[in-house]
Amino acid sequence: MEYRTLEPEELCLELFSGFNRRQVVTKCWRRENGRWCIRDDPFVDDWSPEDYATLVRHLKNTAATGGLVYGAFLDGKLKGFVAVENGLFGGENRYLDLRSLHVSRELRGRGVGTVLFRAAMDWARQQGAAKLYISAHSAVESQAFYRHMGCTEAAQYHQGHAEAEPFDCQMECRLS
């Protein structure tokens, strides 16, 4: 596996030709009456061509504005990526926003996400952040990954993320 920073000019739809986003979800974390619980909520999470086009625009913007876009490649094909926005927020929490972390279906559970997450942590630390902020997919498997990486519920919610993705779990990861 090769890991490296991606430049804005290489971010295009073709980059994702070997990437499989598909995730079959059966159970999700849901906040009910102020408490987190696991509920049956089966669905398939996959990206349409329009979703990929939107993703490319967002990743280009992240890279162009000084954020991190970092990829994992196998045999020259993108198999995972992480994106962290530039610009601290959250007052004393000094958050940087982890906007994306995805691993192609066939390589999940093989440590690729861990390497990508640690790269995001290292980069955020170098930018002066105290914590990474994650609006995390509520699937039980996604939450297990973030908790394994040391993430907990965010001390301060980013209102825009909470409103845009009401079922996501708002999380943070201390960088010290």
Side-chain angles (χ1 to χ4, degrees), residues 28-69:
C28 292
W29 284 95
R30 295 289 185 249
R31 192 171 184 93
E32 296 176 1
N33 301 318
R35 298 188 57 171
W36 288 102
C37 56
I38 296 174
R39 293 286 179 239
D40 290 328
D41 190 6
F43 64 95
V44 175
D45 197 356
D46 210 346
W47 289 338
S48 69
E50 293 79 19
D51 293 329
Y52 277 103
T54 299
L55 173 67
V56 167
R57 281 194 306 276
H58 286 292
L59 293 177
K60 280 185 174 195
N61 183 66
T62 298
T65 57
L68 173 71
V69 181

Side-chain angles (χ1 to χ4, degrees), residues 51-118:
D51 293 329
Y52 277 103
T54 299
L55 173 67
V56 167
R57 281 194 306 276
H58 286 292
L59 293 177
K60 280 185 174 195
N61 183 66
T62 298
T65 57
L68 173 71
V69 181
Y70 192 76
F73 292 83
L74 181 63
D75 299 327
K77 298 279 187 185
L78 181 72
K79 294 297 179 179
F81 64 96
V82 64
V84 182
E85 298 295 332
N86 190 18
L88 294 170
F89 69 94
E92 291 181 19
N93 284 306
R94 293 192 355 253
Y95 289 118
L96 278 180
D97 191 6
L98 188 147
R99 292 291 287 195
S100 296
L101 173 61
H102 298 281
V103 175
S104 193
R105 184 178 187 176
E106 70 277 10
L107 291 178
R108 291 182 196 143
R110 296 188 185 178
V112 175
T114 298
V115 172
L116 293 170
F117 192 84
R118 287 187 178 144

Side-chain angles (χ1 to χ4, degrees), residues 7 20 27 30 42 56 61 64 78 92 114-115 143 145-146 153 158:
E7 301 301 328
N20 183 354
K27 296 187 180 292
R30 295 289 185 249
V56 167
N61 183 66
L78 181 72
E92 291 181 19
T114 298
V115 172
Q143 290 300 303
F145 168 78
Y146 286 116
E153 187 171 358
H158 182 288

Side-chain angles (χ1 to χ4, degrees), residues 92-95 117 121-122 124-125 129-134 146 149-155 171-176:
E92 291 181 19
N93 284 306
R94 293 192 355 253
Y95 289 118
F117 192 84
M121 291 174 67
D122 290 343
R125 204 177 288 114
K131 301 174 183 179
L132 274 177
Y133 187 93
I134 305 108
Y146 286 116
M149 297 308 298
C151 298
T152 58
E153 187 171 358
M171 305 184 85
E172 67 182 28
C173 182
R174 289 188 177 276
L175 300 175
S176 55

